[in-house]
Amino acid sequence: MPLSKVRETAKRIKEMKIQGAVSISLAAAQAMEHFIKSSKAKTRKEFIAKLEEAASILIDSRPSAVALPNAVREYVAKVSEIEAEPPKLKKEALRIGRALVKEITESVDIIGKFGAVEVKDGMNILIHCHSSTVMAVLKQAWRNGKRFEVYCTETRPWGQGYVSASELSNYGIPTRLIVDSAATRFMQQGIDLVLVGADTVTKEKSVVNKIGTSQLAIVAQKLKIPFYVATETLKFDSSRTADEVEIEERPADEIIRRDQLPNVKIRNPVFDITPAERIHRFITEDGVLQPGEIDI
Ligand code: RUB
């Protein structure tokens, strides 16, 4: 079935089996590729209609991040411009998909290179959640010979901090794991840089990222610790302000078994918003920029 892989990928994204905006976008591109290869559409009209259906299944899988809808919409828009009929149209669509994947992976590499320059010898760096873009920065810095330590917050409730900690320590980078609520204490004791990823950067350059990011930014500002966001421009959203972003709220049982506190309503928002005035720099594929230097 042409749409089966698309549906399965959307389900895996929803169930957090695929996480992090870049990985989600790449998985969506892969699912689109599978759909195109197995499409039996005879006409251009039929093909585009099904492609749009595939796109909306993927887009609906997680509401707060914009890289996925941006990537998928750009894909559909480019394919829709092609006048050819299948099978030529299919061939062109696959080429566009491959170019998009290349663009995303190259952006991550370039951000790694720009970001590595910001990492200095002897730094203690605090990160939150698991961001493949942040991983790229830290690994590139390590490859460049910088020597530093990384503090990973556990990142309740899903524990993406374990993924980060395991990835970095396997790379040879000295890594510490801390519970989320220990972040302020370590920041008071000598964190030199807070580095996070982004799911969306809104019109006014607010950053939507994993819940807990905004409190790290508040503490960083108070303690005068630079707060950096590593993000592909694919995550820029010129259509929404922070107030207009729907913050995904996930099931209560991700936090606690429901029968443990039967009379308590558990809330589980998974992203929050950090305003531009708390962000020192954005590390993007266009360079390391202050919020005021970015055009969204
Ligand atoms: C992941 C998260 C990451 C961003 C950036 O949240 O908030 O910081 O997605 O990651 P979740 P990347 O685990 O809920 O998807 O740099 O890989 O795009």
Side-chain angles (χ1 to χ4, degrees), residues 24-167:
I24 288 172
S25 308
L26 292 174
Q30 238 177 26
M32 294 287 263
E33 179 176 338
H34 181 273
F35 158 75
I36 292 164
K37 281 184 177 157
S38 54
S39 161
K40 306 222 172 359
K42 297 266 178 305
T43 64
R44 178 177 181 281
K45 199 169 159 213
E46 199 189 330
F47 179 79
I48 301 284
K50 278 287 179 195
L51 188 70
E52 279 168 356
E53 189 182 337
S56 67
I57 293 170
L58 290 163
I59 287 171
D60 287 347
S61 57
R62 287 198 78 186
S64 303
V66 81
L68 169 69
N70 275 358
V72 168
R73 286 198 185 106
E74 187 184 320
Y75 196 175
V76 175
K78 283 189 175 158
V79 174
S80 305
E81 278 167 17
I82 302 165
E83 290 299 338
E85 294 285 328
K88 187 166 180 242
L89 179 57
K90 275 174 71 166
K91 216 172 133 195
E92 281 299 296
L94 288 173
R95 185 188 54 74
I96 290 168
R98 280 193 292 269
L100 182 66
V101 168
K102 189 164 176 269
E103 202 181 300
I104 298 173
T105 43
E106 279 175 2
S107 297
V108 177
D109 284 351
I110 297 169
I111 292 171
K113 291 196 174 99
F114 281 135
V117 178
E118 304 298 312
V119 175
K120 313 287 179 215
D121 270 324
M123 268 186 167
N124 291 313
I125 302 171
L126 178 72
I127 67 169
H128 185 51
C129 197
H130 177 257
S131 152
S132 49
T133 318
V134 165
M135 294 294 109
V137 169
L138 296 172
K139 288 177 182 175
Q140 182 65 54
W142 192 258
R143 284 199 298 279
N144 290 357
K146 303 279 179 63
R147 291 299 170 255
F148 53 90
E149 289 186 7
V150 181
Y151 286 73
C152 303
T153 54
E154 195 177 22
T155 318
R156 281 266 299 151
W158 274 89
Q160 289 92 333
Y162 307 140
V163 182
S164 298
S166 143
E167 195 171 328

Side-chain angles (χ1 to χ4, degrees), residues 4 24 29 66 114 139 154 160 165 191 206 209 214 226 229 241-242 250:
S4 60
I24 288 172
V66 81
F114 281 135
K139 288 177 182 175
E154 195 177 22
Q160 289 92 333
I191 292 292
S206 294
N209 192 51
S214 66
V229 178
T241 62
R250 295 185 58 89

Side-chain angles (χ1 to χ4, degrees), residues 16 18-24 62 128-134 160 196-199 209-210 230 232 235 248 270-271:
M16 303 282 293
I18 306 167
Q19 65 76 226
V22 164
S23 306
I24 288 172
R62 287 198 78 186
H128 185 51
C129 197
H130 177 257
S131 152
S132 49
T133 318
V134 165
Q160 289 92 333
V196 296
D199 283 274
N209 192 51
K210 180 54 53 191
E232 301 69 24
K235 295 170 182 168
E248 179 184 356
V270 297
F271 295 107

Side-chain angles (χ1 to χ4, degrees), residues 210-227:
K210 180 54 53 191
I211 193 82
T213 301
S214 66
Q215 62 201 29
L216 297 178
I218 292 170
V219 178
Q221 189 174 45
K222 177 97 183 138
L223 298 175
K224 300 192 171 32
I225 300 170
F227 187 93

